[in-house]
Amino acid sequence: MSVNDTVKLLADCSRGAKMGLEAIDEALPLVNDPRMKYTLSDSKSNHITLGNEADALLKGLNEKPGEPGAVAKGITWVKTNFSVAMNPGDSTVAGVITDGCNMGIKSINKALNEYSGADAGAKRVAKRLIDMEKKLVSDMSVYL
């Protein structure tokens, strides 16, 4: 086990959970369907819980929580709001959320491979984040 790999994987998970949270926060006010709002709100709660878990594990290693970069946050805001302005509707929001989830899945899978020396706890957090994103993609598919 590598402490360095563990820290890097957990930091990526922390950033990923927060990016998911940012995207959901941007999307929620744009959603009309009550079931879709519920699904996104539920996923938001899961992102908060997992992000807090990753942050607590990082703090236990005397490391700071991961934070998404300003550029990534800005791109999320622009993509969400521009897409919906050009084509309003729940289908567009579902597409934006799906795209974000797919980027998150790719990113965390890459981190799992790159930081293969991370401890089992960090790997479990990463796999749970991937599973959460896959579930949200599936949940959003009915709105596409």
Side-chain angles (χ1 to χ4, degrees):
M1 177 204 70
S2 165
V3 173
N4 190 45
D5 279 6
T6 299
V7 168
K8 287 181 178 180
L9 182 58
L10 287 171
D12 279 358
C13 290
S14 176
R15 276 189 292 278
K18 289 173 184 159
M19 276 305 303
L21 183 58
E22 290 276 335
I24 292 168
D25 279 341
E26 288 297 327
L28 269 170
L30 306 171
V31 173
N32 294 308
D33 186 279
R35 290 171 299 165
M36 187 175 178
K37 275 189 188 263
Y38 175 82
T39 298
L40 288 171
S41 294
D42 186 50
S43 185
K44 177 180 175 176
S45 295
N46 292 335
H47 278 79
I48 291 169
T49 299
L50 193 126
N52 288 342
E53 184 177 337
D55 290 351
L57 290 168
L58 282 165
K59 287 177 188 173
L61 296 168
N62 296 316
E63 296 289 335
K64 292 182 181 177
E67 291 295 331
V71 172
K73 288 170 126 179
I75 290 170
T76 298
W77 184 89
V78 168
K79 180 170 172 74
T80 302
N81 289 287
F82 182 75
S83 295
V84 174
M86 296 302 292
N87 189 16
D90 291 347
S91 176
T92 301
V93 173
V96 169
I97 291 293
T98 298
D99 290 347
C101 289
N102 286 329
M103 287 188 326
I105 291 165
K106 179 181 173 182
S107 174
I108 299 302
N109 270 312
K110 181 179 177 187
L112 266 170
N113 291 330
E114 187 173 347
Y115 307 123
S116 60
D119 72 18
K123 289 178 180 178
R124 275 192 301 274
V125 168
K127 289 174 184 174
R128 282 183 28 232
L129 181 55
I130 290 166
D131 289 344
M132 249 176 27
E133 298 301 312
K134 286 179 179 178
K135 181 182 182 320
L136 189 52
V137 166
S138 175
D139 291 345
M140 290 295 104
S141 69
V142 299
Y143 300 100
L144 296 173

